[in-house]
Amino acid sequence: MSAPDKDTLVRDSVDTFRAQVADALAPFLTDDVVIAEQIHGLALPGKKLAPVMNMAVYELRDGRIAAWRDYTNPAYASALLQA
């Protein structure tokens, strides 16, 4: 079996968080990784503010953020910004 693509991995983890099933969340939780759903308000000049959702992954080392990655569906964000 091949590894899941990035989109599938993100969708599966977000779906798991929405379901709030504690045992299913365990693989995504460690002492040095934080996963957070975020909503950023973005707008193009002269357009209304769009609530663009994304997922952020923070890797902690010695109590500080050592790495930070954001995952956003660009098609969804583009559609919101064009509205």
Side-chain angles (χ1 to χ4, degrees):
M1 176 184 251
S2 63
D5 62 63
K6 292 177 185 176
D7 286 344
T8 301
L9 182 62
V10 170
R11 281 189 188 99
D12 289 351
S13 59
V14 169
D15 289 345
T16 300
F17 274 89
R18 282 192 180 134
Q20 297 180 359
V21 178
D23 290 340
L25 293 175
F28 301 106
L29 306 174
T30 69
D31 291 339
D32 58 355
V33 175
V34 175
I35 300 174
E37 183 180 27
Q38 301 174 333
I39 299 175
H40 295 279
L42 300 176
L44 296 174
K47 300 278 187 165
K48 67 179 187 173
L49 198 63
V52 177
M53 295 181 292
N54 77 339
M55 189 172 91
V57 178
Y58 302 94
E59 292 179 33
L60 307 175
R61 213 170 287 124
D62 299 322
R64 294 176 169 233
I65 297 172
W68 171 7
R69 293 178 302 282
D70 282 329
Y71 299 93
T72 301
N73 178 338
Y76 174 74
S78 179
L80 283 175
L81 290 170
Q82 300 303 321

